[in-house]
Amino acid sequence: LQRYGLSEIVNHLLGNEKPVPFDFMTDGQFLRGTISTYLKEKSLSAENILTLEYIESMLPPTEIASYSHDDWISSVSAASADRFVVGSYDGVVRVWNAQSECEDELRAHESAVKCVVAVKDSSKRSRVELISGSQDRTAVAWGNKGGQRKALYAARGHTDSIEAVAINPSNTHFVTASADSTIRFWSMAVPKQSEDSQLEESAVSAPAAKKRKNVNADIMTKAAIGTLNGHVGPVTSVCFNADQESQIFSGGWDHSVRTWDVASGVNVMTSLCDKVVLDIDYSAHSRLIATGHADRAVRLWDPRSDDSTVVKLRLSSHKGFVSSVAWAPNSAYMLASASHDSTIKVWDIRSSTPLYTVYAANEKDKGKKLLGLDWHKSLLLAGGESGSLRIHSVNSQYSDDQEQTSA
């Protein structure tokens, strides 16, 4: 019996008039061959009781569009199902629609854009539509100004490249992670006047910032509410705890995953691993943290655990650095990862093997590093070295509901 035959049996037992394809798991692994083959591999006899979990199959992700850029893509973020934000190494932030039209080319940065994040929940309206971070050490908030999408303010204070940015679920605050080893906490509100005086006061402890020219001088300045110190070396990634907005998670070159209370500025927990952390994402459904690493692995952490040294799960299949990770928005089990090996892998974390490996459809994208990834509803967005924004359709009917049967 293989998956097709097992699906027929389950459909018959469930009385489904229209057959539904199922995947089957046993011992935390997807069953990819016959039951007979599995029994032989595990040195089990036909008399052993085998527990199978059956799950409604997720269709393989398929590439439905590709938008070309002249330079590397560093970061992607979906504002909605028909509007996508892309940060590029040419210093430009581009906003695309689902009709393959570039709606806006936003220019304010003086160096490569390293990260972008879009405001996603339209019910929690903010004047800010998106935020971009750059090697020029500024984070620029963009929004409607005089009927056009323009820079509303530039968040200044970091003394090195801004590597990551995240907005809280209420759309009231954001955080930036920098190569200067700090994380800064900011209000989303547009200031009534430039906050340069506050910035100059805080710059006393950061003399390196004075040595460089003031970038984007014509854009209103936003000063940080607070600075989080603790990482040793560049901070590569940051995200909010969607269940507790005063809490954030970060990762960096010091091989640490840190939990912070932004209100007090306290590093409440530090978890260590063997390799550099390249990206981080938190799932409100599973309440787990996923991290991508330079040793080609994805690691899962439970921030509720008191043991800071325990990795809940290590997922290995990529052949290059795991540059970006993204949880499925409506599932506690589904996770995607993008890598320098040019592939996207979709995981069901109940199994240590990937559910699907997504290869580039276009020749120009094959073998090119992927640097950015976002999962929004039924869309997977990715981009990187080739300059192509790859948009994939993912089966949105996937359900977390599972049932078990024994054979």
Side-chain angles (χ1 to χ4, degrees):
L1 280 175
Q2 288 184 292
R3 192 181 78 170
Y4 180 77
L6 290 169
S7 288
E8 284 190 320
I9 293 172
V10 172
N11 275 293
H12 176 73
L13 292 172
L14 295 176
N16 292 335
E17 293 183 9
K18 184 179 179 181
V20 175
F22 291 100
D23 275 309
F24 296 85
M25 286 197 307
T26 181
D27 254 354
Q29 298 279 338
F30 280 102
L31 191 67
R32 294 306 189 198
T34 64
I35 291 179
S36 175
T37 301
Y38 177 83
L39 292 174
K40 287 178 183 177
E41 287 175 351
K42 300 296 181 181
S43 301
L44 300 172
S45 75
E47 296 180 356
N48 283 95
I49 295 176
L50 189 64
T51 301
L52 297 176
E53 295 178 68
Y54 62 90
I55 308 158
E56 189 172 337
S57 291
M58 171 184 165
L59 297 174
T62 55
E63 190 169 316
I64 58 174
S66 179
Y67 304 163
S68 185
H69 298 71
D70 294 332
D71 210 335
W72 289 25
I73 291 172
S74 59
S75 181
V76 297
S77 180
S80 64
D82 55 9
R83 185 163 284 109
F84 320 117
V85 180
V86 180
S88 178
Y89 274 78
D90 62 5
V92 180
V93 178
R94 292 175 176 83
V95 181
W96 294 82
N97 61 29
Q99 288 73 48
S100 306
E101 297 168 338
C102 184
E103 292 184 350
D104 262 320
E105 291 191 349
L106 307 177
R107 303 173 188 271
H109 290 293
E110 294 190 354
S111 190
V113 175
K114 295 300 298 289
C115 51
V116 293
V117 62
V119 173
K120 294 185 191 241
D121 192 343
S122 58
S123 67
K124 299 173 182 175
R125 290 310 301 165
S126 166
R127 191 175 165 191
V128 176
E129 293 181 35
L130 62 109
I131 299 171
S132 57
S134 169
Q135 284 182 345
D136 67 13
R137 311 182 310 282
T138 68
V140 175
W142 305 86
N144 190 290
K145 190 176 182 181
Q148 292 183 310
R149 194 178 281 119
K150 291 185 177 181
L152 301 178
Y153 57 80
R156 297 188 176 99
H158 282 295
T159 59
D160 209 334
S161 173
I162 294 178
E163 299 295 307
V165 59
I167 298 173
N168 71 345
S170 297
N171 296 335
T172 57
H173 294 82
F174 68 99
V175 287
T176 50
S178 172
D180 66 9
S181 80
T182 71
I183 299 163
R184 297 196 181 222
F185 182 54
W186 318 75
S187 165
M188 288 269 284
V190 179
K192 292 182 179 179
Q193 61 184 22
S194 198
E195 298 172 351
D196 293 281
S197 58
Q198 296 179 43
L199 186 65
E200 286 168 8
E201 290 171 12
S202 65
V204 173
S205 61
K210 291 185 176 181
K211 295 179 182 178
R212 300 186 182 184
K213 64 180 180 179
N214 188 20
V215 297
N216 309 332
D218 58 332
I219 302 174
M220 194 153 48
T221 292
K222 162 77 78 171
I225 298 172
T227 302
L228 308 178
N229 295 287
H231 277 284
V232 180
V235 188
T236 58
S237 48
V238 67
C239 67
F240 275 91
N241 180 341
D243 299 313
Q244 189 179 335
E245 292 193 16
S246 63
Q247 190 175 79
I248 63 167
F249 308 111
S250 64
W253 280 23
D254 57 4
H255 304 183
S256 72
V257 174
R258 296 173 186 259
T259 303
W260 305 82
D261 181 271
V262 291
S264 63
V266 174
N267 181 184
V268 297
M269 186 172 181
T270 300
S271 303
L272 299 173
C273 59
D274 300 330
K275 293 293 179 180
V276 168
V277 181
L278 298 176
D279 196 25
I280 194 167
D281 196 23
Y282 174 78
S283 169
H285 296 283
S286 65
R287 296 184 177 177
L288 298 177
I289 298 168
T291 51
H293 296 265
D295 63 353
R296 304 176 291 180
V298 176
R299 289 177 173 84
L300 302 185
W301 312 77
D302 189 342
R304 299 162 294 180
S305 171
D306 293 328
D307 191 343
S308 63
T309 62
V310 174
V311 175
K312 184 176 176 65
L313 186 63
R314 185 177 185 273
L315 304 172
S316 297
S317 179
H318 280 294
K319 297 177 181 178
F321 288 5
V322 179
S323 52
S324 193
V325 291
W327 286 99
N330 298 310
S331 171
Y333 304 111
M334 303 301 291
L335 172 73
S337 57
S339 168
H340 286 191
D341 65 13
S342 86
T343 68
I344 302 167
K345 291 186 185 286
V346 178
W347 307 82
D348 183 312
I349 63 170
R350 291 168 290 192
S351 170
S352 59
T353 55
L355 190 60
Y356 293 111
T357 298
V358 185
Y359 296 93
N362 298 320
E363 198 63 37
K364 64 168 281 195
D365 300 330
K366 293 179 179 178
K368 302 296 184 180
K369 299 173 185 176
L370 287 176
L371 304 175
L373 180 73
D374 190 24
W375 194 331
H376 180 75
K377 295 186 178 179
S378 61
L379 295 177
L380 257 181
L381 279 63
E385 183 185 1
S386 71
S388 297
L389 170 63
R390 292 162 49 182
I391 302 177
H392 305 80
S393 175
V394 185
N395 175 23
S396 60
Q397 300 305 310
Y398 185 88
S399 170
D400 282 344
D401 295 336
Q402 62 172 348
E403 297 181 52
Q404 290 188 340
T405 185
S406 297

